[in-house]
Amino acid sequence: MRYVADVPYTRRFFKELTPAWLDFTALICGFEPPRRDGGFHWCELGCGQGVSAALLAATHPAAHVFAIDMMPEHIAYGERLCRDAGIANATFLALDFAAADRREMPRFDYIVAHGVYTWVDETAKADLRRFIHRNLKPGGLVYLSYNSQPGWAADMPVQHLLAAFAERAEGDGLARFAEADRRVGALAEAGAHGLRDGRIGSDWQRLRETLPPAYFPHEFLVPWRPIAVTEMRRDMASIGLTPIGSATIRENVDPYMLHPKAREALAEFRDPDTRELVRDHFLAKQFRRDVFGLQPRRLNENLSRRLLAEACYMLSKPPVSEDYTMTTDAGTVRFDNPVVRRILEFLSAGPRSLTQLLDEGHSIGDLVANILVLAAAERIRPVAPDPVPVTSVNTVLQGRMDGPEALSFLALPNGTALELTEGQIRQLQDRNALPAELVDWSGLSA
C-alpha cells in the first residue's frame, strides 16, 4: 500500500508553515528570508484537507497559495471551505507529486510538506524532490517535517506489525487499523512486551483516547521509514538545497536542549551533518521540522538582529502566566529578567514590532536574545505585520465546529490561526462569544 486513500486525514492548521514563522527561523539561523513586499507564492505538498492553506490564504490576501494532495476528497474539502469563506487566492489541485511536477506552476517563495516525506515511498519522494527543484525560487525556503531516527527505532516493530496485519484485514482504513490494533494488543497481553517498549507504544492507550481516529491509518498503515537527518540532508543536497535550521525554535540553540557534557562531546564534531546526527542521538529525536533554502544568503549579525527586532510578534497565549521557565532535555531554562517582562508587557497590547523598545534604552543584543528565548519557550510567536479582517472567514469556520466536517480553528488577523479547546468551542456555540481575555489577546475583537 502506497497511501491510505479511503479515510480522509484530520483537519489541522500548523503555525510552522506560515511565512512569518519560516522567516523567523531563517533569521535566527543567520539567513535572509524571501523578499515578499508585493506578496508571495506558497505551496503545500500533501496538504491533507487544506486547512493550513485556506487559512493562510485568508490571512494573506496578497499571496498566491497552492495546495496539492492526491486525494480528491481532501481537495474538495479545501475548495468548499474557500468557496464558503470567500477566499479567492487559493488553488487546490488533486494531483500526486509526479503529475504536479508536470503542471506549469509559478516559482514559489515557500514550499512546505508537513508529515509527508517519510510516509511515502521512494518514487513519491523522488517526485517531491523534482517538484521542489523545478519550482522553488532562488532564496526560497522549504519546510519538511518527518519521522526521524534514532527516536523511532523502538517503535518500528509495532508499526511494521500493524501494517502487516492491516494488509490482510478487510474494510476501509479505519476498520483495517482497528483489527490490526486489536491483534497487536492481544499479542502484547500474551507477553510480546517489546511491542509496547517504544515512545509511542508505552503511551499507546492515551494516544488512542486523545487523537482522532483518522490519524492512525495515515500514521501507521503506510510504508513509512524514519530516516536520519543525514539522509534528509543528502536528499535535499541532490537538488541544491542548504540546511537552514529547525522550525521548532528551541532546537536551534544547544544550551536550551543539551546538558554541558553533551555540548562538550558534540564540540568534537566539525562536519555540520555529522554533528546534527550525533545531536539527534543525544536527543533521541523522533520528529524533525527542517527548513532548507535554495541559494540562501548569509546575513551579518548586525543586519540579522535588526531584522529580528523589526519583525512582528504576538503573545502565544493570553497574558495570564507568571511562569518564566522552559523545560527541555537540558533541564529547566529560566528567563525571568526585566527585558523579558517588558517584551511581554509591550505585546499585551497586541501584535507589533519591538523596535520601540530600542528607543527605551534596551540594547539590540539583549532584545534579540530575549526574543529568541521567549519564542523558544512558546511565549511569543512571529506573525504577519499587517492585520487583515477575518470576521467573515471566522463566521464560516464557526459554523463548521461540529458535524462530519468539524474543525477547531479560527483565523487570526496577523496571518496565523487559533486552535480552540472543546470548552471554548462549546462557549462559542452556546453564547456566540469567546472568553474576553481570549478576544483581547487574539485581536478577534478588531
Side-chain angles (χ1 to χ4, degrees):
M1 181 195 306
R2 290 185 66 187
Y3 313 100
V4 172
D6 55 8
V7 178
Y9 194 54
T10 57
R11 290 172 284 278
R12 301 283 301 162
F13 175 90
F14 297 100
K15 62 185 182 298
E16 294 88 355
L17 308 187
T18 63
W21 194 284
L22 295 173
D23 289 357
F24 181 79
T25 300
L27 284 172
I28 64 173
C29 295
F31 291 93
E32 182 180 37
R35 299 190 179 192
R36 51 187 178 91
D37 297 338
F40 58 89
H41 288 81
W42 180 97
C43 179
E44 183 173 10
L45 298 174
C47 67
Q49 302 211 44
V51 174
S52 292
L55 297 190
L56 190 142
T59 55
H60 297 81
H64 299 272
V65 169
F66 284 72
I68 298 169
D69 196 279
M70 56 84 64
M71 282 186 64
E73 189 171 356
H74 284 169
I75 295 302
Y77 182 89
E79 288 179 327
R80 285 196 305 275
L81 180 58
C82 287
R83 182 178 63 250
D84 294 347
I87 301 168
N89 58 325
T91 299
F92 286 83
L93 299 170
L95 302 170
D96 63 22
F97 301 147
D101 184 48
R102 294 191 293 268
R103 290 282 295 261
E104 285 301 318
M105 297 275 183
R107 300 293 292 279
F108 293 106
D109 301 281
Y110 306 90
I111 298 178
V112 302
H114 180 81
V116 172
Y117 200 78
T118 48
W119 282 264
V120 296
D121 61 20
E122 295 302 320
T123 298
K125 288 179 186 177
D127 294 335
L128 182 149
R129 292 194 299 270
R130 278 192 293 271
F131 180 94
I132 294 173
H133 183 59
R134 182 178 179 223
N135 294 293
L136 184 66
K137 285 182 183 177
L141 297 178
V142 171
Y143 165 99
L144 296 166
S145 62
Y146 58 100
N147 278 356
S148 60
Q149 293 283 29
W152 271 101
D155 285 294
M156 291 183 71
V158 70
Q159 190 276 341
H160 181 82
L161 197 57
L162 282 166
F165 286 156
E167 191 173 351
R168 293 164 175 79
E170 297 181 352
D172 64 8
L174 289 171
R176 288 184 289 107
F177 177 80
E179 173 61 15
D181 186 32
R182 183 194 66 77
R183 297 188 68 181
V184 168
L187 292 175
E189 289 283 334
H193 302 301
L195 295 174
R196 293 292 186 248
D197 283 347
R199 287 186 180 183
I200 292 293
S202 61
D203 206 23
W204 189 253
Q205 191 58 41
R206 184 189 68 83
L207 294 173
R208 290 290 278 143
E209 292 171 356
T210 57
L211 292 172
Y215 168 85
F216 293 92
H218 288 272
E219 177 73 24
F220 290 100
L221 302 190
V222 293
W224 58 251
R225 181 180 70 85
I227 62 175
V229 60
T230 45
E231 295 178 83
M232 176 62 87
R233 290 188 172 192
R234 179 202 63 208
D235 286 356
M236 294 305 109
S238 72
I239 56 173
L241 299 189
T242 299
I244 295 289
S246 172
T248 304
I249 302 302
R250 67 179 63 183
E251 293 181 1
N252 296 292
V253 185
D254 282 347
Y256 296 168
M257 302 301 297
L258 300 172
H259 291 285
K261 284 188 177 180
R263 300 202 301 269
E264 182 180 347
L266 196 62
E268 298 180 11
F269 299 91
R270 300 299 181 187
D271 173 69
D273 292 351
T274 304
R275 183 184 185 282
E276 195 68 11
L277 177 64
V278 172
R279 191 173 184 269
D280 279 1
H281 279 265
F282 278 117
L283 298 173
K285 282 298 295 178
Q286 192 174 34
F287 191 75
R288 291 183 61 97
R289 296 179 177 90
D290 288 354
V291 180
F292 296 86
L294 178 61
Q295 302 169 23
R297 185 169 77 92
R298 276 279 183 187
L299 297 176
N300 65 55
E301 187 174 14
N302 288 336
L303 179 55
S304 178
R305 285 176 171 181
R306 180 173 65 80
L307 293 173
L308 283 165
E310 291 174 352
C312 186
Y313 303 93
M314 71 178 291
L315 298 179
S316 295
K317 55 186 177 181
V320 295
S321 173
E322 293 297 326
D323 180 23
Y324 298 96
T325 63
M326 168 175 59
T327 302
T328 74
D329 291 79
T332 300
V333 178
R334 304 183 186 281
F335 50 90
D336 187 6
N337 64 68
V339 181
V340 158
R341 287 178 176 261
R342 179 59 182 134
I343 290 172
L344 295 176
E345 177 191 35
F346 187 70
L347 292 179
S348 67
R352 60 187 64 190
S353 164
L354 297 173
T355 51
Q356 181 179 319
L357 301 189
L358 297 175
D359 298 332
E360 297 179 5
H362 299 290
S363 74
I364 194 165
D366 282 347
L367 185 62
V368 168
N370 286 287
I371 288 171
L372 180 56
V373 72
L374 285 168
E378 300 183 7
R379 296 294 300 276
I380 67 173
R381 68 168 75 168
V383 293
D386 301 314
V388 301
V390 293
T391 301
S392 60
V393 172
N394 285 336
T395 298
V396 173
L397 296 175
Q398 185 178 340
R400 289 174 177 252
M401 290 189 172
D402 55 20
E405 295 191 343
L407 46 72
S408 57
F409 295 88
L410 293 176
L412 295 183
N414 286 81
T416 186
L418 164 68
E419 183 171 15
L420 300 180
T421 66
E422 290 185 8
Q424 290 165 347
I425 291 173
R426 284 196 299 272
Q427 178 170 337
L428 189 60
Q429 292 172 329
D430 294 343
R431 306 180 193 173
N432 196 35
L434 292 168
E437 67 274 11
L438 196 65
V439 172
D440 293 340
W441 157 75
S442 65
L444 289 176
S445 57

